[in-house]
């Protein structure tokens, strides 16, 4: 069955960087883009970015442009997202989701990774 | 921008519920396809896909959930609300970058 398993809780100081992972299984990894979405405490969903494993093409939200790097490791079927120069506004649960091209931006979702940015 | 209404919906079990999602631009792409989905997020859980491409129920989703709409205006309907439907519902579009989400509609039981 399709599964996306994310890395755990991260606590970072302002200005630091964090790298999150999203390990997938149960489907052909290269065929499906991965979307990253975050949710600040008590808030709604916010799209962060997108990566297409087959080409490495990426796209991201304006408010993280220049601070985010999304990559994939096809051999381990894992997607990564690095976010740099963290501020308290980056405190959130970060989700990865599998996109089905031509269908939907997230049919299966990871359990989420909590990132806390605090001094 | 996706705008949902209402933002909160108290509903009696067994009664219907309806959520609207309005887009500031057409969600139809150059090939004539519309990538509008609905997600449910139960408390403490990740989002779950309910409906894709306006009106298609995802695998395992009860048939009391239905989606409709076209262009810029879309609706999620629950024919008879059950206790397990409590949560926040989001519309989301993947027709245009950046992908966007509505603000969410909180479904509560009266």
């Amino acid at each position: 069955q399709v599964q996306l398993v994310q890395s755990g809780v991260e606590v970072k100081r302002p200005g630091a960087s964090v790298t999150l992972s999203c390990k997938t299984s149960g489907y052909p990894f290269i065929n499906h883009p991965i979307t990253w979405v975050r949710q600040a405490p008590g808030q709604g969903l916010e799209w962060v970015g997108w990566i297409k494993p087959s080409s490495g093409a990426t796209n991201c939200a304006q408010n993280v442009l220049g601070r985010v790097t999304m990559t994939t490791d096809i051999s381990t079927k894992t997607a990564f997202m690095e976010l740099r120069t963290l501020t308290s506004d980056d405190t959130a649960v970060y989700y990865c989701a599998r996109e089905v091209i031509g269908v939907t931006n997230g049919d299966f979702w990871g359990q989420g990774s909590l990132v806390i940015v605090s001094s | 921008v996706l705008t949902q209404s209402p933002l909160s919906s108290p509903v009696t079990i067994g009664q219907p519920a309806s959520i609207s999602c309005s887009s500031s631009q057409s969600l139809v792409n150059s090939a004539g396809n519309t990538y509008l989905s609905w997600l449910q997020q139960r408390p403490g859980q990740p989002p779950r896909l309910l409906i894709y491409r306006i009106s298609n129920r995802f695998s395992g989703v009860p048939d009391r959930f239905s989606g409709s709409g076209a262009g810029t205006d879309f609706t999620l309907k629950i024919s008879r609300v059950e206790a397990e439907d409590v949560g926040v519902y989001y519309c989301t579009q993947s027709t245009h970058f950046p992908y966007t989400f509505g603000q969410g509609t909180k479904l509560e039981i009266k």
Side-chain angles (χ1 to χ4, degrees), chain A:
Chain A
Q1 70 279 23
V2 175
Q3 286 191 309
L4 291 84
V5 179
Q6 299 186 237
S7 47
V9 179
E10 299 272 4
V11 181
K12 297 291 182 180
R13 300 292 191 197
S17 299
V18 67
T19 298
L20 307 179
S21 66
C22 172
K23 184 169 176 59
T24 72
S25 60
Y27 73 94
F29 178 70
I30 203 165
N31 289 355
H32 296 268
I34 294 289
T35 287
W36 290 91
V37 173
R38 69 183 181 182
Q39 186 170 37
Q43 302 300 307
L45 302 173
E46 178 189 16
W47 183 74
V48 177
W50 170 97
I51 182 165
K52 197 173 183 183
S54 59
S55 64
T58 61
N59 201 304
C60 69
Q62 190 68 30
N63 62 352
V64 297
L65 187 62
R67 297 198 297 129
V68 70
T69 300
M70 289 169 287
T71 57
T72 60
D73 183 335
I74 293 174
S75 67
T76 61
K77 301 181 180 180
T78 304
F80 301 91
M81 185 187 73
E82 179 193 26
L83 190 58
R84 300 178 293 278
T85 320
L86 293 168
T87 73
S88 58
D89 288 343
D90 296 314
T91 294
V93 176
Y94 288 74
Y95 296 103
C96 60
R98 184 183 84 156
E99 175 170 325
V100 182
I101 296 173
V103 176
T104 182
N105 50 327
D107 63 346
F108 289 93
W109 292 68
Q111 84 278 18
S113 295
L114 174 61
V115 176
I116 299 169
V117 183
S118 174
S119 54

